[in-house]
Each structure stands twice: as structure tokens, then as C-alpha cells.
């Protein structure tokens, strides 16, 4: 599994947008999930901190989606 983070785009206020793609089978060029996230932004934040925040938020959102599917599917 691999996680790729796109560019950060600052928006009005204290937020940035980014795309996070999670590749579930990168060796075969297989499946992936892309999330478009709005993250809080502090002017003092370093790129590595934003990347860590993006990864953590993507994992949190993916878990929430899996939980929702488990409760509402079939």
C-alpha cells in the first residue's frame, strides 16, 4: 500500500486543500482511492507537518467510510 499526497492549495482563511491517493495494490497498477481534503493551516506549519496531517486525515476518512459501509451495506 502506498499513499501519495498532491499539491497543497491554500484557500481563504486558515485552510488548504489537497488530494490524497491511497494505492491498495501499487505493484499491479491496481486499485486506488482518492480523497480531496480540506485541512486546517497554520502559517508556521512546515510541509512535513502538512503531509503528516493529510495522511492521518485520509486514514481517518477511509476508516469512517469502511465503518459506514459495514453498517449500511447489504
Amino acid at each position: 500500500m502506498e499513499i501519495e499526497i498532491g499539491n497543497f492549495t491554500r484557500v481563504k482563511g486558515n485552510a488548504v486543500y489537497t488530494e490524497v491517493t491511497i494505492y491498495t495494490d501499487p505493484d499491479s497498477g491496481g486499485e486506488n482511492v482518492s480523497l480531496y481534503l480540506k485541512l486546517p493551516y497554520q502559517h508556521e506549519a512546515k510541509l512535513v507537518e502538512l503531509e503528516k496531517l493529510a495522511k492521518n486525515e485520509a486514514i481517518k476518512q477511509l476508516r469512517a467510510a469502511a465503518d459506514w459501509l459495514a453498517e449500511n451495506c447489504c
Side-chain angles (χ1 to χ4, degrees):
M1 190 171 302
E2 293 178 13
I3 297 177
E4 181 180 290
I5 299 172
N7 294 327
F8 291 95
T9 303
R10 190 163 168 220
V11 293
K12 194 187 289 186
N14 293 328
V16 293
Y17 284 106
T18 191
E19 178 182 7
V20 178
T21 304
I22 300 170
Y23 297 94
T24 57
D25 191 7
D27 293 333
S28 68
E31 303 175 17
N32 63 58
V33 175
S34 290
L35 302 166
Y36 298 91
L37 303 173
K38 181 179 179 182
L39 304 169
Y41 172 74
Q42 301 290 327
H43 293 285
E44 308 83 30
K46 296 179 182 167
L47 183 58
V48 70
E49 295 169 335
L50 287 174
E51 289 175 344
K52 183 176 180 181
L53 179 62
K55 285 181 182 179
N56 288 338
E57 186 62 23
I59 291 166
K60 182 174 124 183
Q61 293 293 330
L62 201 55
R63 283 185 179 145
D67 290 344
W68 183 88
L69 283 170
E71 291 175 11
N72 296 288
C73 183
C74 310

